[in-house]
Amino acid sequence: MQWDWLIEYAPKLVEGLWLTLQLLVLSIIFGMALAIPIGLVQVTGPRPLAWAAKAFCTTIRGTPLLIQLWLIYYGVGSLFPFIPGIRESFLWPVLRDAFPYALFAFSLSVAGYEGEVMRGAFRGVPKGELEAARAMGMRPFTILWRIWLPRALQNVFPTLAGEFILTLKATPLAATITIFEVYGVTTIVRQETYRIYEPLLFLAFIYLCLTGVLVVTFRYFENRIPKRRV
Amino acid sequence: MEIPWDLLALSPPGWGGNLLRGLASTVQIALGAYLLGLAIGLGGALGKLYGGPVLRVSLEVYTTLIRAVPELVLILLLYYAGTDLLNTALESFGYERVDIDGLWAGIYVIGFVQGAYSTEVLRGAFLAVPEGQIEAARAYGMSWFKSHVRIVIPAMIPFAIPGLANLWLITTKDTALLAVVGFSELALETKQAAGATKAYFMMYVAAALLYLALTLVSTAVFSWVEKYYRRGQPDQG
């Protein structure tokens, strides 16, 4: 085992790690922002919306993320140049970069999986609490913001924490569309140093640490959720 | 822009046949890996429940490590390490080096990863079997082995099926990762078809639909299996 490459590539690895974290955090934020309405309309929404949300979740959960990623980057990306004048528009620098595509694909994936989780979460909040809120004279939006959503999130917090760790473990896929996050950087290391095991083992160690940090962070927040002692 | 449907034709120059062949090897790899994973999982669960301290700790390390590291990294590691170890072993016994066939390598790699997940699912299911049923089996004078084959394992299956169904869906989707290592299955076939025809959007949509069909069929099969194994159990909610 040789580890001397580690010093040479350290700055690149740190950059890659930063990119991984950006991808993870941003896709969780955008994904959850989508997942909450997707879960909600499946519980209370009008029939067509509920049906559309259900179809979205099934499609996302039924196809590999790798295919979704390639479909969005290569597939949708290959359609853009057909739009006349798009190369001159201000959007082109964004559309030419791979990161927005990855972020979009990962956000959709988070939305699909967590939409399903949120559906169960919204349904799991006791009716009495919502009726009590209504009896206090809260408007529907206030009920959602003050009672329904916080209670739903509390109930599924451990599930969501597990799902976010799965999202972390999916981020290396972004390397297949030319994003050099930490996995992508180690592929470069492997190609340039001809070492197979060291970079991969180091990578496994990095992800182990990341998972550990996430688990501890989520547990901290989980413990802050007030629980009724039984 | 018109849609070039004829690129999906089953015989060349269409690429439909290639996609279907890819789907077939995806199903093959997934089935093999799933069965291997189940075998590892059954052993692992029993080891975790009844094994000595050394076995228990090593199984704990196995499940924790595998579940904390991305599948893609594991697949690369296991693929290189596995072929290396096999060849070292073969050479030390005086045989020639071999190239592992893509199908078997894929099955071994994904199966080894899925084994960690199945271990946890099956362990949970074993723990869900009511204590009284095991005690009743013992009261009948059944040996440990017989009581497991006749009572505990059949009683554990309905508890395990939802988790196992989930694992099967994850396995089918994990096979797509093998495309990154260069195994020819649906994802890689699609990538090649898309690259050759430049009809990226259509090819990837076609592949997505094939995966989706696989998922929907599997879901239907598993709900039937679950109903079968839950017969005689009281309705739950």
Side-chain angles (χ1 to χ4, degrees):
Chain A
M1 295 250 165
Q2 272 183 15
W3 295 94
D4 48 349
W5 51 269
L6 205 53
I7 304 154
E8 191 187 333
Y9 288 96
K12 274 194 173 166
L13 284 169
V14 172
E15 252 170 63
L17 201 59
W18 174 234
L19 209 53
T20 297
L21 289 176
Q22 273 180 317
L23 190 60
L24 175 69
V25 172
L26 289 177
S27 56
I28 286 177
I29 293 174
F30 290 135
M32 281 309 287
L34 275 171
I36 290 168
I38 285 172
L40 193 63
V41 295
Q42 287 186 72
V43 177
T44 60
R47 191 73 57 85
L49 263 183
W51 189 85
K54 180 91 207 146
F56 173 76
C57 288
T58 311
T59 314
I60 294 290
R61 283 152 38 99
T63 51
L65 180 53
L66 189 64
I67 293 289
Q68 295 164 16
L69 200 61
W70 287 353
L71 174 63
I72 286 167
Y73 181 64
Y74 296 113
V76 178
S78 73
L79 298 182
F80 279 132
F82 286 100
I83 305 171
I86 197 164
R87 279 172 201 273
E88 285 76 43
S89 81
F90 68 97
L91 276 174
W92 190 243
V94 179
L95 293 177
R96 222 176 37 185
D97 190 19
F99 190 77
Y101 291 94
L103 186 56
F104 184 63
F106 277 87
S107 303
L108 283 190
S109 166
V110 171
Y113 282 91
E114 270 50 271
E116 195 71 16
V117 173
M118 289 313 292
R119 179 181 65 93
F122 279 122
R123 185 159 288 159
V125 175
K127 258 217 174 94
E129 296 184 15
L130 301 179
E131 282 164 3
R134 205 171 305 140
M136 298 286 272
M138 289 189 193
R139 283 175 299 121
F141 187 75
T142 319
I143 297 180
L144 175 67
W145 192 243
R146 288 208 192 143
I147 313 289
W148 210 1
L149 183 59
R151 290 286 287 130
L153 283 176
Q154 280 174 14
N155 285 340
V156 291
F157 194 80
T159 318
L160 285 179
E163 293 276 334
F164 294 155
I165 288 173
L166 290 183
T167 310
L168 166 71
K169 293 197 299 166
T171 52
L173 294 182
T176 61
I177 60 166
T178 70
I179 292 177
F180 290 104
E181 40 68 80
V182 72
Y183 167 80
V185 173
T186 52
T187 359
I188 300 180
V189 176
R190 274 171 42 220
Q191 279 158 5
E192 288 180 358
T193 60
Y194 302 110
R195 313 228 124 250
I196 298 174
Y197 293 114
E198 292 92 334
L200 279 176
L201 285 175
F202 184 68
L203 191 61
F205 173 71
I206 288 182
Y207 280 109
L208 211 60
C209 293
L210 283 178
T211 313
V213 170
L214 279 185
V215 167
V216 170
T217 321
F218 286 134
R219 189 150 307 151
Y220 169 75
F221 283 115
E222 205 180 312
N223 287 337
R224 289 186 43 154
I225 296 174
K227 257 188 232 126
R228 197 170 60 175
R229 312 239 179 276
V230 190
Chain B
M1 197 174 62
E2 53 187 84
I3 302 168
W5 290 113
D6 52 322
L7 289 177
L8 284 179
L10 285 183
S11 54
W15 288 80
N18 287 47
L19 292 193
L20 287 182
R21 264 196 300 283
L23 179 66
S25 52
T26 286
V27 173
Q28 264 180 329
I29 295 177
L31 267 180
Y34 189 62
L35 291 179
L36 177 62
L38 273 186
I40 296 177
L42 193 61
L46 289 173
K48 264 194 170 182
L49 290 171
Y50 302 111
V54 177
L55 184 61
R56 269 217 298 265
V57 167
S58 42
L59 283 170
E60 195 64 43
V61 170
Y62 163 63
T63 53
T64 313
L65 276 185
I66 295 279
R67 293 190 306 160
V69 176
E71 277 85 349
L72 191 57
V73 179
L74 287 175
I75 284 171
L76 286 172
L77 260 178
L78 288 173
Y79 178 63
Y80 292 125
T83 42
D84 246 22
L85 279 180
L86 183 73
N87 278 327
T88 316
L90 282 178
E91 275 181 344
S92 65
F93 285 114
Y95 295 99
E96 282 188 14
R97 296 181 75 86
V98 287
D99 260 338
I100 301 184
D101 178 50
L103 179 69
W104 289 107
I107 288 176
Y108 140 75
V109 167
I110 303 245
F112 192 77
V113 175
Q114 287 300 318
Y117 290 88
S118 338
T119 300
E120 291 300 311
V121 169
L122 291 175
R123 192 177 66 96
F126 271 117
L127 289 175
V129 175
E131 194 70 22
Q133 297 192 8
I134 305 171
E135 281 168 5
R138 208 169 298 145
Y140 269 100
M142 290 188 194
S143 67
W144 183 92
F145 185 75
K146 194 176 248 178
S147 72
H148 270 77
V149 171
R150 286 212 187 146
I151 310 293
V152 181
I153 290 179
M156 158 286 268
I157 288 176
F159 297 112
I161 281 185
L164 292 182
N166 236 341
L167 276 185
W168 163 251
L169 295 181
I170 293 175
T171 312
T172 53
K173 288 184 283 169
D174 267 0
T175 54
L177 299 180
L178 293 175
V180 179
V181 204
F183 293 141
S184 173
E185 39 63 69
L186 182 49
L188 191 62
E189 290 280 356
T190 312
K191 196 180 184 188
Q192 287 164 348
T197 59
K198 304 287 174 215
Y200 291 97
F201 190 74
M202 190 179 71
M203 286 300 170
Y204 285 122
V205 169
L209 287 178
L210 286 178
Y211 276 113
L212 190 60
L214 183 58
T215 302
L216 293 179
V217 170
S218 315
T219 316
V221 170
F222 268 107
S223 80
W224 179 80
V225 171
E226 187 175 355
K227 209 175 272 169
Y228 175 79
Y229 274 107
R230 277 207 189 279
R231 73 201 192 283
Q233 280 200 345
D235 272 341
Q236 292 171 336

